Amino acid sequence: MTIQNPAIAEWRMLIDGELVPSSSGAVFDNINPATDEVIGVTADGTPEDFDRAIAAARRAFDQTDWPRDHALRARCIRQLKDALVRHAEIIRPLLVAEVGTPIWLTRDTLFDVPVEKLEHYAHLAETYRFDDELEDVDFRGFVSRRRIRYEPVGVVAGIIPWNGPWGSGLGKIGPALASGSTIILKPSPDAPWMGTIVGKLIKEETDIPAGVVNIVTASDNFAGVVLTTDPRVDMIAFTGSAPNGRKVAEAASGTLKRMLLELGGKSAFIVLRSADVAEQAALAAKTICANAGQGCVARSRLLLPRESYEAGIAAAKAQMDAISVGDPQDPQNFMGPLNSRHHRARVLNYIERALADGNRLVRGGKVPESKPTGSFIEPTLFADVKPDDTIAQEEIFGPVLAVIPYDTEEEALQIANNSIYGLSAQVAAGTNEEAYEFAKKLRTGTVSINNGTWMHMDVPFGGFKQSGIGRQYGRQGFEAYLEIKVLGIPSGAESRTLKWGEIERKADTESVSA
């Protein structure tokens, strides 16, 4: 793809209110995974660039009124939202070009939904009760009023992945700004323009003060170490794989930073006997191909009752056979490529491991012969997968569905919960009540019942077990960016000095009386 509007396809970083190149002058290529073409370059930030960004964020938080000006924060968030809406049709093909996601998804969770979520955070900046009160307390004969203040956490480092950069990026910028915090956002080198485009719009079309938002791009992973270990950073908001989340947690523990970790998943799609097994199996096969399976909530394990097992596999295969794979800019194509050649190699390696484990390859499993260019892979279906096999336990992050049979619902529940992850799940049954009763027993953060959706701006999204720490989005996700301060105030008009001797004498008197 040739970039049509280089003015929007910004390559510079936003540091302390200015769009700047790397201090080294270096850039790295942004590659279209559908064509292998270089669509542009991005500034390759250095440790010095990150140091300047952290210093700017620290100064903006400590030395300006940003943390206390609620009206300014709400206005700035809405300005950013409005700018993104104005430029949406220019941004949309750039998102497709750097991520490889099909363009139809940009009108859903990959762009339009996260942009709309900014209004939710603007509303919270205006209406959240940042100053609240508790009941008065009588402590040793002295009555005090008590207040709770919810204050911004400080300087936030946001580290985001390539598979859904706009959702992850705006999902960190929004609550950080609404809370009164400042932020350094580090996009993935495999999808850097999400950050640089936002930086350009912040600079040119909003009143966000210098240093409040800093966006630094880099091709090297050193950035994560810098951000997670620097004592000037108060909080890490990370979205990525569980192995990388463990590294972030370990590095951040040295300064006991607040951490919000949204990590991986190995979600199960459980079809109970009372459901239409063929219909639900086909749905599972289709949804694993959305964004080429590159989603943390992707239902990559399909659990089918044994008596309907082969019928379900046949329906899943028929659905995958019908999936249109090709140019993600073409709205007729349901699935585009994987994000990069190196990620495709990782997915192909998992397919080889599945074959070595004796899993039955029903379809797919290779690069399409008609698409030697780009990072395409065929929708892939494996059957006869055992619950402890590699492809049933590890996050593949590709269009690979593992079908597992079960004999009883108790066994289905055990298989579904047999994972280090607990991010999401889907349950299908003949009635909503039956599916709901089963869903209550799942150890996951979100569950879709009979194709119902939980996704909206008010949802606290996150998972159990090694799928993360804390929740993103919604009121609870916003509160992750707040510190709690409790104040005790004398209830009378004038303060009173209470000497320790008075407390001791009063305590002695109460003890004798008792």
Side-chain angles (χ1 to χ4, degrees):
M1 174 187 178
T2 301
I3 295 304
Q4 300 298 319
N5 192 331
I8 287 294
E10 179 60 57
W11 64 277
R12 294 168 295 178
M13 305 177 290
L14 179 68
I15 299 178
D16 203 9
E18 298 297 330
L19 296 173
V20 297
S22 168
S23 57
S24 70
V27 296
F28 62 93
D29 292 338
N30 196 358
I31 298 173
N32 185 332
T35 64
D36 292 334
E37 295 175 339
V38 175
I39 56 175
V41 297
T42 310
D44 198 355
T46 66
E48 291 74 24
D49 294 324
F50 279 93
D51 180 74
R52 286 194 300 124
I54 295 169
R58 187 79 259 170
R59 184 172 62 253
F61 183 78
D62 292 338
Q63 300 178 23
T64 75
D65 288 335
W66 174 259
R68 292 165 290 281
D69 195 332
H70 301 261
L72 173 62
R73 302 204 302 261
R75 184 173 82 245
C76 288
I77 294 170
R78 289 195 175 101
Q79 288 173 337
L80 178 58
K81 177 197 168 186
D82 291 345
L84 289 168
V85 171
R86 279 194 299 275
H87 297 290
E89 297 314 310
I90 298 173
I91 294 171
R92 212 178 295 282
L94 299 181
L95 163 59
V96 174
E98 74 168 353
V99 175
T101 190
I103 198 162
W104 66 268
L105 264 179
T106 71
R107 302 187 185 280
D108 194 80
T109 56
L110 268 291
F111 184 76
D112 287 359
V113 170
V115 169
E116 182 59 32
K117 280 181 181 177
L118 289 176
E119 176 58 37
H120 174 69
Y121 293 115
H123 181 71
L124 282 171
E126 292 175 320
T127 63
Y128 187 83
R129 294 189 66 170
F130 291 91
D131 198 322
D132 207 350
E133 58 184 330
L134 299 170
E135 293 181 358
D136 290 356
V137 63
D138 185 333
F139 182 70
R140 300 189 187 281
F142 300 103
V143 178
S144 294
R145 292 183 295 125
R146 295 170 299 156
R147 300 200 70 83
I148 298 178
R149 285 185 52 78
Y150 298 92
E151 300 184 354
V153 69
V155 175
V156 177
I159 303 174
I160 64 173
W162 47 260
N163 64 307
W166 288 88
S168 295
L170 296 180
K172 292 169 177 51
I173 290 174
L177 297 189
S179 73
S181 297
T182 59
I183 185 169
I184 307 104
L185 187 74
K186 193 272 180 188
S188 166
D190 291 319
W193 283 356
M194 174 272 153
T196 55
I197 291 171
V198 167
K200 179 180 180 62
L201 296 180
I202 285 174
K203 167 67 176 173
E204 298 180 353
E205 302 189 30
T206 79
D207 296 325
I208 296 175
V212 169
V213 178
N214 303 271
I215 297 172
V216 190
T217 51
S219 63
D220 192 277
N221 290 327
F222 75 85
V225 176
V226 172
L227 293 172
T228 53
T229 58
D230 195 301
R232 294 170 294 177
V233 174
D234 299 299
M235 174 179 171
I236 300 293
F238 173 83
T239 299
S241 69
N244 285 333
R246 295 183 200 110
K247 293 176 184 177
V248 167
E250 182 178 1
S253 67
T255 48
L256 292 178
K257 298 185 190 306
R258 177 83 64 83
M259 281 183 285
L260 178 58
L261 305 179
E262 195 268 286
L263 306 178
K266 193 65 188 177
S267 301
F269 192 130
I270 306 102
V271 182
L272 300 181
R273 284 184 169 82
S274 57
D276 185 325
V277 173
E279 178 183 73
Q280 296 300 321
L283 177 62
K286 186 171 185 177
T287 56
I288 194 63
C289 295
N291 206 24
Q294 299 168 124
C296 54
V297 297
R299 281 75 159 173
S300 55
R301 293 183 294 156
L302 175 60
L303 277 58
L304 299 178
R306 194 175 297 276
E307 62 270 24
S308 307
Y309 183 62
E310 292 299 336
I313 291 171
K317 179 182 182 300
Q319 178 61 73
M320 282 193 172
D321 289 343
I323 294 289
S324 54
V325 181
D327 179 3
Q329 301 284 354
D330 183 348
Q332 299 301 314
N333 288 324
F334 184 80
M335 188 178 114
L338 297 177
N339 177 253
S340 63
R341 288 289 184 109
H342 60 82
H343 181 57
R344 185 177 66 179
R346 178 180 179 274
V347 174
L348 289 171
N349 181 62
Y350 271 112
I351 291 171
E352 290 300 319
R353 292 170 69 179
L355 292 170
D357 284 342
N359 304 144
R360 173 168 42 120
L361 180 63
V362 178
R363 73 149 346 261
K366 62 183 186 300
V367 176
E369 294 181 1
S370 61
K371 294 175 178 61
T373 303
S375 299
F376 292 93
I377 193 171
E378 294 176 336
T380 299
L381 180 65
F382 276 102
D384 303 343
V385 178
K386 297 179 288 298
D388 292 326
D389 285 346
T390 300
I391 63 167
Q393 289 294 318
E394 297 188 20
E395 187 177 37
I396 298 174
F397 230 58
V400 180
L401 184 63
V403 189
I404 305 171
Y406 69 85
D407 292 304
T408 66
E409 289 192 4
E410 291 75 16
E411 183 186 11
L413 179 65
Q414 183 180 22
I415 293 171
N417 285 334
N418 176 29
S419 174
I420 64 171
Y421 299 108
L423 189 58
S424 193
Q426 187 154 338
V427 182
T431 66
N432 292 339
E433 292 74 18
E434 181 186 358
Y436 178 72
E437 289 303 315
F438 189 91
K440 289 194 298 184
K441 304 171 189 176
L442 293 169
R443 296 283 295 164
T444 63
T446 59
V447 185
S448 173
I449 290 175
N450 282 344
N451 307 325
T453 184
W454 44 262
M455 187 175 293
H456 196 61
M457 289 178 283
D458 58 353
V459 164
F461 174 68
F464 291 19
K465 298 185 277 189
Q466 293 189 37
S467 283
I469 297 173
R471 293 294 184 270
Q472 294 193 109
Y473 316 130
R475 179 179 59 81
Q476 294 88 343
F478 168 69
E479 289 172 344
Y481 291 77
L482 297 173
E483 289 283 13
I484 299 174
K485 179 186 288 183
V486 181
L487 303 95
I489 310 165
S491 62
E494 297 181 6
S495 64
R496 165 163 184 169
T497 302
L498 182 63
K499 295 183 173 59
W500 284 107
E502 292 182 61
I503 296 177
E504 293 165 359
R505 287 194 297 274
K506 186 173 180 62
D508 290 342
T509 302
E510 291 174 350
S511 177
V512 171
S513 299

